[in-house]
Amino acid sequence: MTSATMHLLILTIALFIFSSNTSIAEQRFPTLWFEAPSSIAGYPLSGNCSSSQTINNSDCRIIDPWLYLDRLGLYKILINATTPYMDRFCSVQPLQECNILFGLAANFGWQFDSNRLFSNGTKNISVNSWWASFNYYLSVIPFLAAVDTGVIRSGAFQIVQRDIFCSNSDECLKQIPSAMIHWRNYFLNLLQSRSCSGVTAKDGGLIDECYLGPMWLAHNASVANALPIIKTKLSLLPSYNEQHFSLAWSNVLYYIAIARKNSNLIETNIYQDKYLPGRMLTDKDNPPYCPDLSKSVNLALELLHDIPLEFYSEFMDYWYGASTCYESGIYAQIALEIAPLSRTLAAAYYEIAQLTVLVC
Ligand SMILES: *[C@@H]1O[C@H](CO)[C@@H](O)[C@H](O)[C@H]1NC(C)=O
Ligand SMILES: *[C@@H]1O[C@H](CO)[C@@H](O)[C@H](O)[C@H]1NC(C)=O
Ligand SMILES: *[C@@H]1O[C@H](CO)[C@@H](O)[C@H](O)[C@H]1NC(C)=O
Ligand SMILES: *[C@@H]1O[C@H](CO)[C@@H](O)[C@H](O)[C@H]1NC(C)=O
Ligand SMILES: *[C@@H]1O[C@H](CO)[C@@H](O)[C@H](O)[C@H]1NC(C)=O
Ligand SMILES: *[C@@H]1O[C@H](CO)[C@@H](O)[C@H](O)[C@H]1NC(C)=O
């Protein structure tokens, strides 16, 4: 073993210790989590569900995904309903924190906190917000798919329709078929996969294969389907820097999806705190020299700024190759996580991932 390899091994171990040393701060829930509805019955009665998912009109609830609490409630219900299928590999309390869908809720919370939903101090979400539009396909869509597959057994409800957004299963199957199908598959897989029933926290490979792989496949389909639909909202973002950041981030999401990072609450909070800016960018921002942002956020923004957008699609197949199996995926994830801090080390980890594929 060369000393360079040794150095990388030590660093890997250090990173694992760092990321398993979680604090209360990292266990925090998205803003206003405890105020959001936790069941369909927590939403207001509408009295008139013309295009309700289910038939019983006398008890029909109205869900407005353009209200922060209503959309957050969709995540709450989804997480509550799916945690029993995922709690076997959880070694912390509450068990919900291990739910790999929690990352979606945590990211939505970051969008709210940073005013990316254009809520401007209210709890209303603007249909003009690119981020809110993007998140629609990562909140309403998985929710509808979970209802379709019976993972969520709800009463009758109707989703308020606004702008270009599909608001029931039939419409969404027409608007974004592959995202709907992949999310349904993910939930069916959750219900049916007996081979995964004995998975514990130690079975990283099985967690990857049974849970993370199918979830990120559906996530990828949502991102790919959403981007062309919401394109017109990009110019409504308040600066060129923010526009570039939005597109770069949606590309980084493809890379995270391919490497299949664990997206539970704790890991997502750590990643977001480290790398995502807590406010929208302005055209005066010149990373890594934004005095009100942390050093690591500055470095992440600098990296995203330096990478031309074409790079992501050009390099995608190589990245896919390097992330083929669970073991190589871990190195790919480390490469991603370390890239803002050291591009050289990230390249080294990418090479280790490639070498690992040879012995998958
Ligand atoms: C219920 O909604 C339908 C369609 O939006 C509308 O035509 C009908 O008048 C409504 N009925 C009541 C009682 O509000
Ligand atoms: C419809 O909902 C009402 C109120 O919850 C309930 O009493 C009734 O039994 C339901 N009807 C059917 C057909 O499920
Ligand atoms: C889901 O909600 C039910 C009822 O609100 C509650 O009893 C249960 O503990 C929740 N499940 C989880 C995993 O939090
Ligand atoms: C809310 O904030 C967004 C982003 O800063 C801005 O573009 C928009 O004009 C604001 N809307 C209102 C009603 O203040
Ligand atoms: C938020 O949206 C609701 C429902 O559409 C509306 O009644 C309310 O006036 C809005 N509040 C603000 C502050 O815009
Ligand atoms: C992600 O989605 C795009 C568009 O549907 C597809 O071309 C690509 O192969 C998908 N990537 C993965 C890893 O599934």
Side-chain angles (χ1 to χ4, degrees):
M1 188 181 285
T2 67
S3 75
T5 323
M6 194 67 182
H7 177 74
L8 286 175
L9 266 180
I10 292 167
L11 202 85
T12 311
I13 293 161
L15 277 174
F16 276 116
I17 292 169
F18 169 68
S19 56
S20 61
N21 184 12
T22 55
S23 70
I24 296 298
E26 285 140 6
Q27 285 179 277
R28 70 176 187 279
F29 290 89
T31 301
L32 300 175
W33 181 254
F34 297 100
E35 286 178 36
S38 49
S39 68
I40 300 280
Y43 289 86
L45 280 166
S46 102
N48 186 14
C49 266
S50 49
S51 62
S52 154
Q53 294 269 314
T54 35
I55 311 300
N56 194 344
N57 267 343
S58 59
D59 194 24
C60 176
R61 305 284 163 163
I62 189 103
I63 300 173
D64 184 352
W66 300 95
L67 299 174
Y68 176 70
L69 290 178
D70 276 26
R71 202 186 287 194
L72 194 61
L74 297 182
Y75 281 130
K76 222 166 147 176
I77 295 166
L78 186 60
I79 288 165
N80 181 297
T82 51
T83 295
Y85 301 98
M86 293 188 245
D87 60 3
R88 292 176 292 258
F89 56 78
C90 195
S91 55
V92 300
Q93 286 288 343
L95 293 171
Q96 287 193 341
E97 289 181 18
C98 296
N99 189 320
I100 59 171
L101 296 171
F102 225 129
L104 293 171
N107 199 251
F108 180 56
W110 163 76
Q111 290 168 3
F112 178 70
D113 294 342
S114 58
N115 199 33
R116 286 188 164 80
L117 306 176
F118 292 4
S119 47
N120 303 346
T122 73
K123 290 175 196 154
N124 287 10
I125 301 174
S126 167
V127 290
N128 291 329
S129 156
W130 180 91
W131 289 94
S133 305
F134 188 45
N135 173 269
Y136 193 90
Y137 296 97
L138 290 166
S139 56
V140 174
I141 298 314
F143 180 84
L144 289 174
V147 172
D148 286 350
T149 53
V151 167
I152 293 175
R153 289 165 200 279
S154 62
F157 65 88
Q158 181 169 29
I159 290 183
V160 173
Q161 200 278 328
R162 282 195 214 285
D163 204 65
I164 51 175
F165 301 94
C166 63
S167 63
N168 62 53
S169 206
D170 292 342
E171 275 172 28
C172 293
L173 258 178
K174 285 194 194 104
Q175 190 177 44
I176 43 154
S178 84
M180 280 298 281
I181 289 164
H182 277 98
W183 280 109
R184 282 181 182 175
N185 284 345
Y186 170 70
F187 292 116
L188 287 174
N189 189 59
L190 214 53
L191 289 172
Q192 290 164 358
S193 63
R194 288 202 189 82
S195 62
C196 297
S197 61
V199 177
T200 68
K202 291 197 185 81
D203 301 325
L206 281 176
I207 295 175
D208 183 49
E209 182 189 325
C210 297
Y211 303 95
L212 289 166
M215 194 280 290
W216 280 116
L217 211 58
H219 190 286
N220 174 68
S222 273
V223 174
N225 282 182
L227 288 176
I229 299 174
I230 64 172
K231 214 170 170 179
T232 55
K233 319 252 177 191
L234 200 65
S235 63
L236 306 175
L237 286 169
S239 68
Y240 170 77
N241 275 339
E242 179 68 16
Q243 289 172 20
H244 181 85
F245 170 69
S246 305
L247 290 180
W249 173 245
S250 55
N251 277 293
V252 171
L253 280 175
Y254 286 128
Y255 277 65
I256 297 177
I258 291 170
R260 303 178 305 281
K261 183 179 162 52
N262 193 322
S263 50
N264 64 26
L265 179 65
I266 294 167
E267 301 233 6
T268 305
N269 278 341
I270 292 173
Y271 188 86
Q272 287 189 168
D273 291 351
K274 212 153 131 197
Y275 293 134
L276 295 185
R279 62 165 171 78
M280 279 190 282
L281 303 180
T282 71
D283 282 332
K284 289 196 183 116
D285 285 326
N286 182 24
Y289 307 109
C290 307
D292 63 326
L293 301 176
S294 72
K295 176 132 209 262
S296 55
V297 169
N298 264 296
L299 290 173
L301 291 175
E302 185 190 24
L303 178 65
L304 293 183
H305 178 265
D306 288 353
I307 297 176
L309 290 172
E310 311 81 67
F311 169 83
Y312 296 100
S313 53
E314 286 163 7
F315 194 65
M316 190 93 75
D317 284 346
Y318 298 100
W319 187 251
Y320 195 70
S323 308
T324 311
C325 64
Y326 167 62
E327 289 79 7
S328 71
I330 289 181
Y331 289 112
Q333 289 168 32
I334 297 175
L336 271 183
E337 249 183 281
I338 214 161
L341 310 178
S342 165
R343 299 177 197 189
T344 319
L345 266 181
Y349 275 106
Y350 168 71
E351 274 172 38
I352 296 180
Q354 277 186 314
L355 290 173
T356 307
V357 169
L358 302 176
V359 294
C360 271

